[in-house]
Amino acid sequence: MMLAAVISGFLVGGVAPWVIRYLGDSRGSLALAALPALLFVYFASFVSSVAGGETARMVTPWAPGLDLMLSFYVDGLSLSFALLISGIGTFIVIYAGSYLHDHPQLGRFYIYLLGFMASMLGLVLADNIITLFVFWELTSLTSFLLIGFNHEQEKSRKLAVQAMLVTVAGGLAMLAGLIMMAVVTGTFELSEMMAEPDVLKAHAHYTIITILILVGAFSKSAQAPLHFWLPNAMEAPTPVSAYLHSSTMVKAGVYLMARMHPGLGGTDFWIITLSLFGGVTMFLGVFLAIQQTEIKKVLAYSTVMALGTLTMLIGIGTDGALIAASVFLLAHAFYKAALFLIAGIIDHEAGTKDITKMGGLRHSMPITAAAATVAGFSLAGIPPFFGFLAKEMLLEATLDADLLALVLTLLAVGAGALVVAVAGIVVIRPFYGAKVETPKKPHEAPMAMLVGPLVLGLFGIGFGLMPGLAERTLVGATAAAMAGEPVDVTLYLWHGFNLALLLSVIAVAAGIFLFLNWNRVRARLEGVKAFSESYGPEAGYWRGLDLLNWVAFWQTRILQNGYMRYYLITIVMTMVVLTLYAMVTRATPQLATTLTGVQIYELAIALIIVLAAVFLGWTHSRLAAVASLGIVGFGVALVYVLFSAPDLGITQVLVETLTVLLLVLVLFRLPEFLDLSSNAVRLRDLGIGLLVGGTMTLLLLMIGDVQYFEPISWYFVENSYPIAQGRNIVNVILVDFRALDTLGEIYVLALAGIGVYAMIKLRSEDQSKGGPR
Amino acid sequence: MVSVALPILIPLVAGALSLAFWQSQIAQRWIAVIGTGLLLASTVYLLLQVQHEGFVVMHMGDWQGPFGIVLVADVLGAIMAVLAGITGFAVAIYSLGSMGDGHERFGYYPLLHLLLAGVCGAFLTGDIFNLYVWVEVLLVASFGLLILGGERAQMEGAIKYVALNLVSSLLLLTGVGLVYGMAGTLNMADLAYKFSQVEDTGMITVVAMLFLVSFAIKAAAFPLFFWLPASYHTPPVAVSALFAGLLTKVGVYALFRVFTLLFTQDVGLTHTIILWGAGFTMLTGVLGAAAQFEFRRILSFHIVSQIGYMIMGLALYTPLALIGGVFYIMHHIIVKANLFLVSGVAYILRGSYELKQLGGLYKSSPVLAMLFLVPAMSLAGMPPLSGFFAKFIIVRAAIEAESYWIVGVALLVGLLTLFSMVKIWTEAFWKPTPEGVAIIELPGMRRAMLYGPIMGMALMTLVIGLYAQPIYDLAEQSATQLMDPSLYIEAVLGDPASGLSPSERLIHDAAQAGEAAAGNGAAINGAAGNGMEGEAP
């Protein structure tokens, strides 16, 4: 059942184009939305038992030999995510049908979107780390296809690639970390790994494993300095931004850290790394947000802030921090998805994304304005909205942090002030104040696009006013899953007058001040923006790509240089080096150097061969070269004859005669001989030639006497006549004992014949037909 | 058992028949489909037989090994033969829709069959010299295919191809000669047995270097791969696909064979060299691909890079690593041949292999786009496709062997492979069709002949991923056999001592009897008896 629930997105996605084709865009998307809605209901059925502290695990073997199981694990953490994914997914699917109405590729869009949903569900529910990784990469892939949805624009393509490369690079590091975890713990199941938390922490590889896992998590969850891909991913259609790049996929890294917290968390290394990276990302994200004027970019950077916050809270790791993280997770998902959908409505109905070009939209789109206001208050952390609760708990958590409490609190207050300004920028500025002319005459959005923001806004109020609701359901179970043990949770909206509230008030006041002076602040920060554009991490990414291309060209020019002579030199030198190395280090030298028994005429033949070879390299006359080549060949034939292999000798003579004749025939058709090699080159070639020849000679001398076993040729001698009925043993070997070799060689000859014939004929036909090509 | 000979005989006969019907293109086309189809069927049958009954051995001409030539199918050999069958069949059908008229009239089909015969022969022979012969057959056949058409670029590529491959053959032949000098036999099982009896193995390791270099040239490993990127983008694409799938894999197979069966005396040296070669092969290949902007050139460099992963499996030389290597080979052949086939369709639709001239295929041919995406993402190791599992097993094996640097290389190269595949995707598929590029439509029948094989192979890629377990089991069976050479020796020779000369045999038997007597106090007649005892020459 769980397996079916997870993969249903792939299956339904696969038929989505036909659903759209037959039911039309609007009805088709409503029909498709039934899937996430049903999934939501299915996951909701787990809530009461999970809230009561139970967990469930379902296993289907996939490839057990690889330790790959389709095992799914339901606890507070995975269930919270699953509910968010399916719940928000429902609204996104409905919304997209309206947003991309009449788009020719809407069907393909749903393949990717539903495929993404399935992958994301698989990711958060997986218990087997390989299954988790499979789904992890699938979210990267579907995200790539969705960011590049407007594929005819170069920018979309480039930024889609960027998001993919950054997240996949992180994913691969994570894969190494995951496998190492499995090797250390002896299991591939997360629930079993986390059940014995000390195994990993005590292991010598703990630090490297943690780093690898964190690289994956940071890249996916856009932690500085890998944050840049996320705002760039806003090239995607807005429903995608709302779904993947604010409420679900980008939280996969956070999810992973939360999931690993019992097994890897709690060490100083973990606490410091996560709090610092998270804290800096939190501040940096929202600091960059107020420099933007495009509404989706502002929201995207504030998402970076939220991801940093979550990372920091998981890093701090106290019970309070983990509860804060659980609350923040929900709160953020509600208001941020809503705000993105609203940004899409503005773009769709008013025709612009530039905040400085909008204002007073509440008159023409009152419902949208109401939903936006609710979400905006929650974002700013104003009571009584859910976001307020989250912010109070965040500040309390930083104040109580075991390490770096002061730094983190300062960062949190700063971020808190800036986020209030952001809320003003994305809500007050477009909807309130004086009316501004927009490219399209604005009007209220259709119901399909409004339902998401409205419902999500209601959640924001509802959970804020009745925190017990969140408490009773999943916050406790989620925090417990992160902590690895039960956690006491009681949520109040009103925490009384304390330091956190004071800081919060200061932050809100500062935020309002910043918002009112937004134009001036932006102007002041122009320099910072320019600097980060030319020297920031994103500039690093582009430079890295350039460097990659440069290195690739450089090495390929050197290696695959197109010159046959260098190819040959490399190959023979590789052989020489390896052979000599093995000889020197591995073999006991025993050269067969005794010259006794060598006859004077044998020496003479050898001398002739050597002299002919030297002359061959020396002469400038082609004819002389061919002749001396012939001498070498015939010399070798003589050697064969002298060492009682007359048949080989005969063959050699025939081949040599033919070769020399052919060469002489070819000679007449060649252009004049030119001496193109410099003396240095000739010297180099001589050296290489001597080295290769020397190595071979040495090899033969060393191996000449090495005979560990008697050859099996005695068998041929004995059986050639009695069994094979032939007196000439060589013939019998060729046509009987080893006939298969001969068959092969016959085919070689036939093939050579076809090849040459086709080469000559086909070419001459072409020339007679179409002239030279 | 004749089933092991069929994958060689069928293409040999089909090739001869095609030659006989030189004048009739229709007949040759039918023979191509039927011949490769039968080849595929026979290889599948062989694999099933090997899986259920163990090694299939045939003593050619009824001359017992090690005296005659033996054909041997173990799981690895049978797997390779099946892959040759799949590639051959797919390429044959694809050729019907893509091969030019001139090529068909001038021996394309006979060359195709005989290439397959050479490939299967190399995979199934149990004799080191016979291996050399089959390698020659496939080399000459591939040379014929490479120059067919006689265009200038083809000639240039073919000359490099054949010259560098002849160096490889020369080294192989030298190695075979030296091995015969040392052990007096050519039968691989006999060699394995005899090498295992030698105490001072230094010289064997020296000779192993010749085999290493020779087969590494064939496999296109660093720094010996130059012939491949120089030539693979020049012939008609069906030929490229066939080469991409099979040729380098003969080299890889041979490395797997000899460096698990024959040359395991000094793993610390030989397999370490292979490991370094693997690392550099992966890296230089993938960087070479990054520097290319032509569909087939990119793919060609990726062959090199992927070879690195396969021999990495061999180099680590643990059971899991060998499983990974074999898995990788299975995955790679299907995926890489398929990508070439896709590039050919893109070429037909847009008239170019240059990424600059390509575009708009995602919009106009969504089916082709998906058919590219599956093998391309598989090549890049994206789960849950075949390439992911291949990479995962190898990486896991390397981590377990604590060779961390090669893990880093393997993962980095995976990322760069993705980079290349995404480059093709964005340029050829996503980018709008460049202005001035004519868009060509495919007629229905031709479309079926081109898309059929691509779909079939894409489906296999998916199935290998989604049902990885049976493929894993196959790879595991082959790895088990590779890790234990005595299984091979036993299967081929029965009594390993049968290759000894009568005099050696006497000594051997005496020693055996002595051991047995010392062991359990009973005299056991160690002679297994092939009628040779006492007949010393």
Side-chain angles (χ1 to χ4, degrees), chain A residues 62-65 67-68 108 112 151 552-553 555 560 562 564 586 588 708-710 712 736 738 741 747 773, chain B residues 12 63 127 129-130 151 160 163 182 184 200 226 266 284 287 291 362 389 396 430 466 469 501 503-504:
Chain A
W62 183 354
D67 293 311
L68 179 53
R108 288 186 214 183
Y112 307 146
H151 57 88
F553 277 106
Q555 79 114 32
Q560 194 73 25
M564 179 81 145
R586 294 305 194 268
T588 9
Y708 300 119
F709 296 90
E710 283 175 43
I712 52 165
D736 199 342
R738 298 189 64 92
D741 287 342
Y747 269 102
R773 312 174 40 152
Chain B
L12 281 182
W63 295 109
D127 186 286
F129 182 79
N130 194 238
E151 289 179 29
K160 285 169 188 157
M182 285 194 290
D200 180 13
F226 313 108
D266 196 347
T284 51
L287 285 175
Y362 177 72
F389 293 101
R396 182 178 165 188
W430 263 358
L466 296 178
Q469 186 62 37
S501 77
S503 54
E504 286 165 340

Side-chain angles (χ1 to χ4, degrees), chain A residues 378-436:
Chain A
S378 198
L379 167 67
I382 308 291
F385 298 95
F386 201 34
F388 169 72
L389 181 66
K391 194 172 63 175
E392 294 301 297
M393 299 182 69
L394 160 68
L395 285 170
E396 280 171 17
T398 58
L399 286 167
D400 287 345
D402 294 331
L403 294 166
L404 304 166
L406 182 64
V407 181
L408 299 181
T409 307
L410 285 177
L411 286 170
V413 173
L418 288 163
V419 86
V420 171
V422 167
I425 292 166
V426 296
V427 175
I428 313 275
R429 186 78 186 232
F431 287 101
Y432 296 90
K435 236 182 168 172
V436 177

Side-chain angles (χ1 to χ4, degrees), chain A residues 100 122 141 146 197 218 251 263 331 365 380 533 609:
Chain A
L100 290 172
L141 179 63
L146 287 166
F218 283 6
K251 295 213 180 98
M365 33 177 80
E533 266 165 22
I609 294 179

Side-chain angles (χ1 to χ4, degrees), chain A residues 180 184 200 202-210, chain B residues 402 404:
Chain A
M180 287 177 77
V184 168
L200 281 163
H203 198 272
H205 288 156
Y206 166 76
T207 310
I208 183 73
I209 289 176
T210 308
Chain B
E402 300 188 353
Y404 295 113

Side-chain angles (χ1 to χ4, degrees), chain B residues 308-323:
Chain B
Y309 285 100
M310 297 170 213
I311 58 176
M312 174 179 157
L314 171 65
L316 292 168
Y317 198 55
T318 63
L320 189 64
L322 285 178
I323 294 175

Side-chain angles (χ1 to χ4, degrees), chain A residues 701-713:
Chain A
L701 287 177
M702 282 177 81
I703 226 161
D705 280 354
V706 179
Q707 190 186 10
Y708 300 119
F709 296 90
E710 283 175 43
I712 52 165
S713 51

